[in-house]
Amino acid sequence: MYPYQDATLAIEQRVEDLLSRMALEDKAGLLFQQIAAIGEFDAPGLFGSPSMREMLGQGLTHFNILFAPSAREIAEWHNAVQDEARKHPLGIPVTISSDPRHSFTDNPAAALLSGPFAQFPEPLGLAAIGSEELVERFADLTRREYLAIGIRVALHPQIDLATEPRWARQSATFGEDAGLTTRLGVAYIRGLQGGEVGPASVSVMAKHFPGGGPQKDGEDPHFPYGREQIYPGGLFDLHLEPFKAAIDAGVAQLMPYYGMPVGLDGVEEVGFGFNQEIITGLLREKLGYEGIVCTDWGILSNTCWGVEHLSFEERMVKAIEAGVDQFGGEVRADVLVSLVKNGTISESRIDTSVRRLLREKFRLGLFENPYVDADRAEQIVGSAEARAEGLAAQAAAHTLLTNAGGGPARLPLATGLKIYAEGLSAEALGDRGTLVGTPAEADVAILKLQAPFEQRGDGTTVESFFRAGSLEFPDAEIERIRTVAAAVPTVADVYLDRPAILAPVAGAAHSLLANFGATDEAIVRVLFGEAEPQGSLPFDIPASMAAVEASRPDVPFDTADPTFRFGHGLRYA
């Protein structure tokens, strides 16, 4: 047995022993984390990447998974991956990571639909409830479900401040307020990692350092038209606050965003993953961060903002020099090997990052216990108790914006009414009322709506999954809502993944609810008073698109005369 295999030795001693035994190719492989498809090892990889067997052969030992079949399938695939990794003479175990997968978003570039996992509201909904205890409990539940199938790194929470109302990524944030985001972010880290990272932990990779909210025109830097982050209000430091608290809470890993800062004194206008002033100057030196820095996915191959003119090799060098430890969504370890062999990058610099990455594997106990129990995974993931807690949270996150003064649309609804419903299933409604086919036949109407967006892409590209652009409901939709509300007292329940322009809806509907990810069952429970809306808005609701366009992207609560303010939420009582 080599010293690095001896669990009684100090982690730092084990790291140094293993490092001394690693070939350059092994070291280079550690610095890449690519998407892996669950299934046959020789099948082509996702999005043009090599097969799983090829990537393992190149020395990669970090992978993130997207689409989830059953808990058993994930667990069995994970164990097979660990078996394959053990065939290497050093037997370095594999670390599996995941984007959020416990809510409603289904975007392969951001978050995954819950599938076999318990389903909670989006983080915006957790923010609407505002309970640190609930967030920590949710994160602990996530930890237990992740551990059961072998996921050991959470590519979340997203602790950006949602200060640009049009931004497509804000459903995964805790909203617009720095104080609330900071409190809930720390609770989330605590629930996943515990007091410190250990064998029972899921390592947290919080994102997107130093704050991904101030997007020019609200566009997202996954795409070239959204590459700029701007600070006309001078509030760069405000966006840093949740990350400072995360560092103090012991967050194991951080991910810089794709965006490039524009107009910041002394900061190069290149993407944060290439930005030495941000990663080394601010994060490492000023904030004293010693954890892992992993880039967002594909910055060398695709989202290379500010360094588009550089070659692939030059981008890699620039990011390494900036201070990153690992490249997300990249696989070209051979290029890094060549750069070290030709003297462009020193092996000692690579060793610095390898130490951090090995240390995390040791802290997580992967060398001692890389396998999971597939039978137990089936019992833990998506248990009845966890699903019930998720459903309760979906209901509690509902935010009552207006309530009719009286009549059949006053919430909670009475049972036994004739109901005209759009978007709600008869199964969910059950025997609480009688569904009718037209507003004219009904005592009350229920309209299930969602925040508007401009469709991007052609339906097949990643861009198609991002709900961006205008926050205004189309004129035809507003007219339809008004027609229904003129015929019968009407309740509207709107899914808010962004702060929609709700004034026209509020002016038409007799009662107005907002949800942040909820099944029909959760919605119906709230409508009929079986659960109470406990939410408070996690952001302002702007009065108009003109107000949004006039606001400053880095400044919270900056739209003029909002229709509803942050913290607004009525109660049935």
Side-chain angles (χ1 to χ4, degrees):
M1 182 170 68
Y2 294 123
Y4 77 86
Q5 297 169 316
D6 185 350
T8 66
L9 297 180
I11 285 178
E12 299 307 326
Q13 185 177 348
R14 298 177 74 187
V15 167
E16 292 304 319
D17 179 70
L18 178 52
L19 182 66
S20 71
R21 301 176 191 280
M22 294 175 72
L24 175 59
E25 289 75 12
D26 298 325
K27 296 177 182 179
L30 248 65
L31 270 68
F32 294 83
Q33 180 172 176
Q34 180 58 298
I35 298 167
I38 296 172
E40 295 295 326
F41 286 1
D42 293 314
L46 293 171
F47 309 119
S49 65
S51 70
M52 190 67 187
R53 196 178 307 280
E54 288 175 296
M55 291 191 288
L56 288 166
Q58 293 172 22
L60 272 69
T61 64
H62 294 83
F63 302 95
N64 82 293
I65 58 172
L66 297 182
F67 313 107
S70 68
R72 172 174 289 278
E73 288 174 279
I74 302 170
E76 290 177 345
W77 173 84
H78 165 269
N79 287 346
V81 170
Q82 299 293 8
D83 279 340
E84 193 70 18
R86 282 200 162 184
K87 294 177 182 178
H88 187 285
L90 294 175
I92 298 173
V94 163
T95 306
I96 301 295
S97 70
S98 173
D99 276 314
R101 53 175 70 249
H102 280 83
S103 297
F104 289 79
T105 298
D106 193 16
N107 179 344
L112 291 309
L113 194 64
S114 59
F117 299 87
Q119 191 169 39
F120 280 69
E122 300 291 343
L124 274 179
L126 299 177
I129 298 170
S131 166
E132 294 169 60
E133 180 184 0
L134 174 62
V135 168
E136 184 170 351
R137 197 164 68 244
F138 164 70
D140 181 65
L141 183 152
T142 300
R143 178 189 66 83
R144 286 182 273 120
E145 292 198 337
Y146 276 13
L147 286 176
I149 58 169
I151 295 173
R152 302 308 305 272
V153 177
L155 307 180
H156 46 99
Q158 186 181 325
I159 51 177
D160 307 311
L161 303 183
T163 50
E164 218 304 343
R166 291 168 288 185
W167 189 33
R169 296 294 303 275
Q170 57 193 294
S171 67
T173 74
F174 294 120
E176 195 167 0
D177 183 70
L180 180 62
T181 297
T182 296
R183 288 193 294 105
L184 299 186
V186 168
Y188 199 113
I189 293 165
R190 197 163 54 235
L192 282 168
Q193 289 189 174
E196 59 182 24
V197 174
S201 299
V202 168
S203 177
V204 171
M205 186 185 295
K207 58 191 183 186
H208 302 90
F209 188 83
Q215 301 299 146
K216 184 180 179 183
D217 299 326
E219 299 292 0
D220 189 79
H222 274 84
F223 314 107
Y225 51 76
R227 68 181 196 158
E228 296 182 10
Q229 288 192 202
I230 58 175
Y231 303 87
L235 294 186
F236 176 87
D237 288 343
L238 179 70
H239 289 263
L240 205 56
E241 286 184 11
F243 293 92
K244 290 180 177 179
I247 292 168
D248 290 342
V251 67
Q253 308 187 43
L254 288 173
M255 180 193 296
Y257 207 23
Y258 296 121
M260 50 180 275
V262 175
L264 286 180
D265 289 343
V267 178
E268 187 180 8
E269 293 186 357
V270 297
F272 287 120
F274 300 103
N275 207 303
Q276 189 171 38
E277 292 89 353
I278 296 297
I279 296 175
T280 295
L282 174 60
L283 180 58
R284 295 290 191 202
E285 296 175 356
K286 185 174 181 180
L287 300 181
Y289 185 62
E290 297 179 354
I292 294 165
V293 175
C294 177
T295 74
D296 212 332
W297 266 227
I299 71 165
L300 302 181
S301 303
N302 186 27
T303 45
C304 44
W305 310 138
V307 296
E308 295 94 330
H309 60 288
L310 299 182
S311 68
F312 184 92
E313 291 79 3
E314 289 168 334
R315 294 171 195 162
M316 187 178 290
V317 171
K318 188 167 182 62
I320 292 287
E321 290 178 344
V324 304
D325 297 305
Q326 192 174 56
F327 294 102
E330 303 285 357
V331 74
R332 294 297 306 279
D334 59 310
V335 173
L336 181 56
V337 169
S338 296
L339 290 169
V340 174
K341 286 184 174 180
N342 69 24
T344 305
I345 297 174
S346 71
E347 189 165 357
S348 64
R349 167 62 188 88
I350 301 305
D351 288 349
T352 298
S353 292
V354 171
R355 286 186 177 94
R356 292 187 181 117
L357 294 160
L358 288 178
R359 179 173 179 266
E360 199 67 3
K361 289 182 186 286
F362 281 117
R363 291 208 299 171
L364 291 170
L366 284 168
F367 281 84
E368 285 68 57
N369 188 22
Y371 297 104
V372 297
D373 184 331
D375 292 331
R376 191 162 177 268
E378 279 192 315
Q379 298 167 9
I380 292 173
V381 173
S383 70
E385 181 183 2
R387 290 186 181 277
E389 187 162 6
L391 185 65
Q394 294 169 32
H398 268 76
T399 301
L400 182 58
L401 299 177
T402 67
N403 202 1
R410 180 167 176 80
L411 297 173
L413 299 176
T415 57
L417 298 174
K418 290 179 287 186
I419 299 170
Y420 171 75
E422 293 183 2
L424 278 180
S425 68
E427 180 183 8
L429 187 64
D431 61 0
R432 299 174 178 92
T434 303
L435 278 178
V436 296
T438 66
E441 302 171 75
D443 299 315
V444 67
I446 301 170
L447 303 181
K448 183 181 172 184
L449 309 173
Q450 58 181 274
F453 61 97
E454 297 173 9
Q455 183 63 57
R456 304 282 177 82
D458 62 5
T460 64
T461 60
V462 168
E463 188 180 18
S464 307
F465 291 91
F466 284 76
R467 299 167 66 138
S470 176
L471 297 163
E472 287 183 320
F473 285 91
D475 291 343
E477 175 72 349
I478 294 299
E479 185 58 34
R480 187 185 66 81
I481 295 168
R482 286 174 176 158
T483 299
V484 173
V488 64
T490 297
V491 178
D493 189 303
V494 188
Y495 169 56
L496 294 182
D497 58 347
R498 302 189 299 157
I501 307 300
L502 291 178
V505 181
H510 299 76
S511 296
L512 178 60
L513 278 162
N515 78 76
F516 301 93
T519 59
D520 284 0
E521 175 62 26
I523 291 171
V524 167
R525 288 186 184 186
V526 172
L527 289 173
F528 287 91
E530 297 159 26
E532 293 207 16
Q534 299 175 30
S536 302
L537 283 174
F539 41 40
D540 280 354
I541 298 294
S544 67
M545 278 306 297
V548 170
E549 290 160 1
S551 67
R552 293 163 292 179
D554 61 323
V555 180
F557 317 117
D558 198 44
T559 64
D561 301 318
T563 302
F564 300 106
R565 296 303 311 243
F566 167 84
H568 175 74
L570 306 176
R571 300 291 182 263
Y572 285 168

